Amino acid sequence: MDPPTPIEGFAAWYDDKQGDTGDLWHRTLIDPGLFAALGEVPPGQRVLDVGCGNGYIARRLARAGARVTAIDVSAELISRARERERAEPLGIVYLEGDAARLTGVPEASFDLAVANMSLIDIEDAAGAIRAVARAVVDGGRFVFSLSHPCFDVDTRSAWVVEPPGEGRSAPVVYRKVTGYRTPHEDLYLWDLGDGGTATTRGFHRPLGWYARTLKEAGWVIVDLGEPAPAPEFEGRRIRKEWLEEIPLHLVVTARREPRRVGRVAPP
C-alpha cells in the first residue's frame, strides 16, 4: 500500500495545533480518558506510539520515564517530531513507516502500545492491530482511542436539538446516526486558516469489527472507556452537557494473549 500523498501545509498546521500538549479538544476530552486507561507507566517501560502525529503523546510518556519509539506514515510530521527531539532530547526514536507493517520493529519488543485517534485514519487498521500484536510482549497492553463507533459515525452522524415544547421546559438533545453497521471511508475537510483547506480520509468500523479483529490478532479486551469532558472543556459548537450524556470517543484497553507454541513430539 502506497503512503498517502503529502497535503501542502497540513503537517505544519497540525503540528502547531497540537503543540506539546495537544489541542483543547484532546486535552480536555480525549487525553484524560486515554491516560486514565494507561495508568502509571513505570520508568523504563518500552512503549510504542502508533500513528504518533507530531509526537506530543510520545513526549509526555518519555518525560514520565518511558522508553518510547514512535511511528507515523507522514514524513513531514516525523521530521517535525525529530526537530522537537533535537531541541529537547528525551530519547524518543521516531520512525517513518506504515503502522500495518511496522517494518524494523522487532517482535515482542514492547511492553505497551498506544494509538491516540490514529486507527481511524489507517486504511489497513486490521493489519496495524496484527502488527502491534507482533511487537508487544505476551501480557502487554494496547491502549487506543478512537471516535466512538456507535455515536460518531463521521459525516453520517449529527446532533439533533429538539426545542422545548409539549410539556418540556428545556431542549432535548439526541444523536442521529446512520450507516453504522457497514465499514466505510469518509472525507474530512480541515480549515487551515488564511483561506487554506485540506482533505483527509477517515475510516469507520462498527464496534463488533474492533472486537472481532482484536480477538483474531491475539488480543483480549479488558476495558472500554467513554471519556466525559473535563471541567475546563469549552466547546464551540458542542455543549459540555451533550458530551456528558452521549460520548463521542471510546478508549479500548486490550491485553496480548500468550503466543501459541507448537507441540514438540516426544523423542
Side-chain angles (χ1 to χ4, degrees):
M1 185 181 303
D2 295 330
T5 302
I7 302 171
E8 183 68 29
F10 184 80
W13 169 82
Y14 185 80
D15 184 31
D16 290 341
K17 184 169 80 80
Q18 297 300 337
D20 211 36
T21 59
D23 60 21
L24 181 66
W25 187 272
H26 282 76
R27 290 196 311 272
T28 62
L29 182 59
I30 303 172
D31 296 351
L34 179 77
F35 279 91
L38 287 171
E40 183 177 353
V41 177
Q45 188 164 75
R46 301 165 298 172
V47 179
L48 177 65
D49 185 356
V50 181
C52 65
N54 81 332
Y56 84 90
I57 293 290
R59 290 189 290 277
R60 180 169 171 177
L61 291 167
R63 291 188 186 110
R67 296 159 50 196
V68 184
T69 297
I71 186 167
D72 198 280
V73 73
S74 170
E76 292 182 83
L77 283 173
I78 288 296
S79 176
R80 286 176 170 270
R82 287 170 176 164
E83 288 177 10
R84 291 179 180 270
E85 174 66 18
R86 286 191 289 270
E88 182 191 359
L90 295 169
I92 302 171
V93 176
Y94 287 105
L95 302 175
E96 177 193 343
D98 183 355
R101 293 184 174 87
L102 294 183
T103 303
V105 175
E107 182 176 350
S109 54
F110 293 94
D111 307 298
L112 168 68
V114 59
N116 192 26
M117 300 299 291
S118 58
L119 286 181
I120 55 176
D121 295 329
I122 298 172
E123 183 172 7
D124 186 9
I129 290 170
R130 291 192 298 268
V132 174
R134 291 194 298 272
V136 171
V137 299
D138 290 355
R141 293 184 300 149
F142 184 22
V143 180
F144 60 91
S145 60
L146 64 157
S147 297
H148 202 304
C150 300
F151 303 117
D152 194 17
V153 186
D154 46 60
T155 60
R156 307 182 193 201
S157 55
W159 295 101
V160 177
V161 181
E162 186 175 303
E166 298 181 2
R168 295 189 309 273
S169 60
V172 178
V173 178
Y174 303 92
R175 192 70 178 157
K176 178 179 68 175
V177 173
T178 186
Y180 164 77
R181 190 178 295 278
T182 305
H184 58 262
E185 175 184 340
D186 209 339
L187 297 178
Y188 297 89
L189 180 66
W190 302 93
D191 180 3
L192 306 186
D194 299 326
T197 60
T199 302
T200 61
R201 298 190 301 163
F203 300 90
H204 164 76
R205 294 106 180 173
L207 191 58
W209 183 95
Y210 284 100
R212 181 175 62 255
T213 303
L214 286 162
K215 180 180 179 181
E216 291 173 351
W219 297 102
V220 173
I221 296 174
V222 296
D223 190 49
L224 296 176
E226 296 172 310
E232 60 270 29
F233 175 84
E234 296 178 6
R236 295 179 181 175
R237 293 175 299 167
I238 301 174
R239 298 181 61 170
K240 181 180 177 182
E241 55 265 32
W242 301 357
L243 295 171
E244 290 173 336
E245 178 68 21
I246 303 174
L248 291 189
H249 298 283
L250 184 70
V251 177
V252 180
T253 302
R255 184 184 67 248
R256 181 66 168 93
E257 285 274 78
R259 289 162 170 79
R260 294 182 179 180
V261 178
R263 297 180 61 183
V264 179

